[in-house]
Amino acid sequence: MEHWICVTCGSQFAAREAEPLACPICNDQRQYVGYNGQQWTTLAEMPRNGFRNVFKEEEPNLLGIGTEPSFAIGQRALLVQTPQGNVLWDCISLLDEQTLAEVQQRGGIAAIAISHPHYYSSMVAWARHFNAPIYLHEADRQWVMRPDEHIIFWSGETHPLQPDLTLIRLGGHFRGGTVLHWPAGFDGKGALLSGDIITVVADRQWVSFMYSYPNLIPLPAYEVNRIRDTIAPYRFERLYGAWFGRVVMQDAHQAVLRSADRYLQALERPLD
C-alpha cells in the first residue's frame, strides 16, 4: 500500500496498492494535468530522484521551507515560531529526515493551517510526524485526498489559532481560500501570509487575484470587491506570497487595496 503523490499538484492520496487513475485536483479547471500525462511518486522516491528541502530565514521567527529542484507547484511552506507553539503555514510534499530534524530543532509544529487545496500536499504525513492538528476551511472539504483524524474543518469567516494568529477566509481562488494574519510579524508592524489567495506578482509592489492562475481565469468584480473589503480592517506592513522571493516588503496593506482597485478598473476598461 502506497500513499501516492500527484507529480503535478503535489497532493498525497489515501493508501492504495495501485496508482490512482486520476487526480481530481488537477482535473479541476483551476489546475491541469501535466504535459506528460498523469504521473505519480511517493515520499520514498522523491529523495532518490534528487529532491531535497532547503531552509531560508524570511525574518526573525519565520522560516521558509521549500523543495529543490522545484516540485509540483513549487510553493514553500512557512514555519511561524511563537511562544504558544509553532504553526506551519501551507505545506509541501517532501518530508524527510533532514526536514524533521530541522523543524524539531526549532520546537516542532503545534498546528498546521493551509490556504487552499493546491497546497494540501503531504499535510497528513506532516501532521502525523508532529502530532499536530490541520486546520482547513470546511468549504474545501471535498478536495482532501487523504482524510485523517488530524484534520479539523473550521467554518465561518475567521478562526483564531493563537492569541496572535488568525485565519481569515477570503475565498476567491477557492471557496475556502484562507490567509493567516500575524500582527506580531515584521517587528510588530504586522504580516499577512497569503499563499496565492492574494498572490504577489513580478512587480512586488503589487498583488493580484485569480480563479485559475495556470489557465488565466479571472475573478469577477464582486469577488475581488469582497476580498478587498474583508482584508481592509487588518493591519499588516508585509505580505508573504507562496514562493521564495514573492514578498511585498513594505506598505503591503495599501498594496492589496490599490491592487484590488486596479483589478476592478481593468475589468471595466483597458488600462493605458
Side-chain angles (χ1 to χ4, degrees):
M1 301 286 279
E2 290 281 3
H3 292 287
W4 299 98
I5 296 173
C6 173
V7 170
T8 303
C9 74
S11 292
Q12 189 183 55
F13 282 58
R16 54 184 295 161
E17 291 285 353
E19 298 174 353
L21 294 177
C23 173
I25 292 174
C26 290
N27 281 326
D28 175 67
Q29 64 180 337
R30 281 162 287 203
Q31 183 57 6
Y32 64 96
V33 177
Y35 294 168
N36 296 319
Q38 180 65 63
Q39 295 181 317
W40 303 94
T41 187
T42 65
L43 278 179
E45 285 181 355
M46 287 185 68
R48 293 198 293 265
N49 289 331
F51 293 102
R52 66 184 184 91
N53 285 340
V54 296
F55 310 90
K56 299 180 182 180
E57 299 284 351
E58 300 278 2
E59 65 170 80
N61 300 317
L62 188 65
L63 177 70
I65 309 172
T67 302
E68 291 185 350
S70 181
F71 178 75
I73 294 172
Q75 79 277 7
R76 55 98 175 88
L78 291 168
L79 186 69
V80 185
Q81 299 168 252
T82 81
Q84 292 77 31
N86 297 340
V87 172
L88 185 71
W89 170 249
D90 281 337
C91 199
I92 57 175
S93 300
L94 179 58
L95 180 62
D96 57 12
E97 292 301 323
Q98 178 194 13
T99 306
L100 288 169
E102 186 77 28
V103 173
Q104 198 61 59
Q105 178 183 334
R106 295 167 184 269
I109 296 172
I112 299 170
I114 302 179
S115 60
H116 71 290
H118 290 157
Y119 302 155
Y120 285 176
S121 60
S122 297
M123 61 180 179
V124 171
W126 286 76
R128 288 188 170 191
H129 275 288
F130 291 101
N131 192 27
I134 305 167
Y135 291 90
L136 308 177
H137 198 279
E138 67 170 3
D140 294 334
R141 182 191 294 260
Q142 74 182 88
W143 302 107
V144 174
M145 298 295 108
R146 184 183 175 184
D148 191 82
E149 61 184 8
H150 286 84
I151 298 174
I152 297 172
F153 293 102
W154 62 279
S155 60
E157 303 307 306
T158 63
H159 183 82
L161 280 182
Q162 294 180 4
D164 201 37
L165 289 173
T166 301
L167 297 173
I168 307 165
R169 188 192 78 86
L170 292 185
H173 190 32
F174 275 79
R175 285 182 57 219
T178 301
V179 297
L180 179 64
H181 186 229
W182 182 30
F186 191 34
D187 197 26
K189 298 174 185 176
L192 191 72
L193 283 55
S194 68
D196 61 6
I197 301 305
I198 299 173
T199 196
V200 181
V201 296
D203 180 350
R204 291 175 296 173
Q205 300 178 75
W206 297 85
V207 300
S208 196
F209 326 84
M210 292 287 275
Y211 181 72
S212 169
Y213 291 98
N215 300 321
L216 301 179
I217 306 173
L219 288 172
Y222 71 83
E223 190 71 359
V224 176
N225 252 323
R226 192 189 56 75
I227 290 172
R228 185 193 193 284
D229 292 345
T230 300
I231 204 62
Y234 293 89
R235 178 184 62 86
F236 54 93
E237 182 71 9
R238 181 168 287 181
L239 186 147
Y240 290 95
W243 295 273
F244 284 124
R246 291 298 183 103
V247 181
V248 180
M249 298 299 291
Q250 59 188 15
D251 198 29
H253 183 269
Q254 286 304 309
V256 172
L257 300 187
R258 68 173 177 262
S259 295
D261 291 342
R262 181 174 75 168
Y263 193 110
L264 294 167
Q265 179 186 350
L267 291 176
E268 294 175 358
R269 61 185 184 276
L271 296 171
D272 292 333

